Amino acid sequence: MLRTGPFHSALRWAITARGLSLDRLCDRLAALGLRVSVSTLSNWQRGTSRPQRPESLRAVAELELLLGLDGGSLSRLLAEPAHRGSRRPALVPGTPLLPATRLRATLADPADPDLDILAVQDDVTVTDRGWASTVRSVVRARRSGAGRHVVLYHVGAEALPEIRAGRDCALGRVHTDPDARLIAAELLFGPLSKGETFALEHTVTSTEADLHHGRWFRTAGQHFELTVRFEPSANARRAYRIWRLDSRSPHKDVSQLRLIDGRLAHLVDYDLSPGFHGIRWTG
């Protein structure tokens, strides 16, 4: 992560690996004459702000020493452009960016969406013949008149999944790119006023078996709950929480999850870091 960045992910990883609290780090910086608040340090490691002022850059250099890193290992990442993810379409891991962008364009999905995604609840049932998911998304309108949400899925299987609208919304246009294994669909609902929140549901069904499920989050601080239920035919024996920074990175096992009653894996996070979060399983 120190090689590839981005800065906030590398900083968060280094702090976690060192086992130091943000309060302790701020105290050590203060002893060196550098005043950095806990909230500022938290924003740096979440990607909501970046150190730019000379004093902040000096603090980063001292953090490298405090965290046992090579000199310049964090500072050089600040020379790379920040990933302003809040204005980019959300993509699942491995999604080919150019085909996905083109497919979204056919649905006139803007780069600056009308909605903020506040929370996602994903309930998945897995068999040996495929999987089915019910997704509940809580959204907030950035501007008055917002009345649709575009969802996009990229799968490794040959057969594309089927998307259906759930309660309180309707299915609009559905466009696919079979070669890139992409499907995008409009979910339509009554127009919202600016700042108004709304919960909409959709279901996704696949006839191809899979060994992991999750979602991509480009911004920090969102709420995600994932439940994966295994039918006996799925033959799941172990489950792991996984995370990956981007489509170029492999999945990392964050922790092993207990199979509750031998058939259910669950995770919940109220303050997500950017990246792909999900669950994988083995037989």
Side-chain angles (χ1 to χ4, degrees):
M1 198 166 292
L2 289 171
R3 292 194 303 270
T4 62
F7 169 81
H8 65 273
S9 296
L11 175 62
R12 184 175 60 254
W13 172 85
I15 292 174
T16 300
R18 190 66 173 173
L20 292 174
S21 68
L22 298 187
D23 290 296
R24 186 71 180 275
L25 284 173
C26 289
D27 289 343
R28 292 193 178 186
L29 289 173
L32 297 170
L34 296 166
R35 299 195 175 277
V36 178
S37 68
V38 171
S39 61
T40 295
L41 200 55
S42 176
N43 287 336
W44 288 357
Q45 71 167 354
R46 291 175 58 187
T48 55
S49 67
R50 282 160 62 97
Q52 295 177 331
R53 296 184 297 110
E55 183 177 9
S56 297
L57 297 178
R58 290 196 299 272
V60 171
E62 293 296 340
L63 282 171
E64 292 168 348
L65 298 176
L66 294 173
L67 297 172
L69 305 175
D70 293 336
S73 56
L74 289 175
S75 300
R76 70 174 183 81
L77 295 175
L78 290 171
E80 300 175 359
H83 297 290
R84 304 294 184 183
S86 60
R87 295 296 187 262
R88 296 183 181 182
L91 302 176
V92 295
T95 300
L97 182 58
L98 185 56
T101 302
R102 288 173 176 166
L103 190 61
R104 285 183 177 274
T106 66
L107 294 174
D109 188 36
D112 183 8
D114 293 336
L115 302 169
D116 287 317
I117 309 300
L118 303 181
V120 177
Q121 186 180 52
D122 202 342
D123 197 316
V124 186
T125 299
V126 178
T127 72
D128 63 338
R129 301 180 303 278
W131 53 270
S133 173
T134 299
V135 185
R136 187 175 190 266
S137 302
V138 179
V139 300
R140 179 176 58 208
R142 289 183 175 179
R143 53 185 64 89
S144 293
R148 71 176 191 138
H149 175 50
V150 174
V151 295
L152 182 143
Y153 287 87
H154 172 242
V155 295
E158 292 290 339
L160 292 176
E162 180 182 8
I163 300 174
R164 294 182 178 179
R167 295 180 296 181
D168 304 318
C169 64
L171 187 66
R173 294 171 295 172
V174 178
H175 290 182
T176 65
D177 183 342
D179 291 337
R181 298 178 181 177
L182 291 166
I183 181 170
E186 291 178 314
L187 299 177
L188 308 175
F189 48 91
L192 304 177
S193 299
K194 181 178 180 180
E196 196 169 26
T197 58
F198 183 72
L200 64 151
E201 294 181 358
H202 70 281
T203 62
V204 189
T205 305
S206 174
T207 58
E208 299 280 353
D210 210 338
L211 293 175
H212 77 271
H213 191 90
R215 295 200 171 273
W216 178 261
F217 296 87
R218 288 194 178 273
T219 57
Q222 293 171 309
H223 172 203
F224 180 45
E225 180 179 0
L226 173 59
T227 302
V228 181
R229 294 180 173 84
F230 301 101
E231 294 294 326
S233 62
N235 196 33
R237 295 288 181 267
R238 295 180 179 84
Y240 302 86
R241 176 170 182 169
I242 57 174
W243 173 84
R244 70 188 293 177
L245 177 63
D246 53 38
S247 61
R248 297 166 301 189
S249 308
H251 286 137
K252 300 178 185 295
D253 288 342
V254 177
S255 61
Q256 184 169 353
L257 299 174
R258 186 174 75 89
L259 286 179
I260 302 169
D261 198 25
R263 64 179 185 85
L264 185 149
H266 181 264
L267 70 83
V268 62
D269 198 322
Y270 295 93
D271 190 14
L272 283 177
S273 59
F276 176 81
H277 296 263
I279 293 174
R280 76 171 182 92
W281 53 92
T282 61

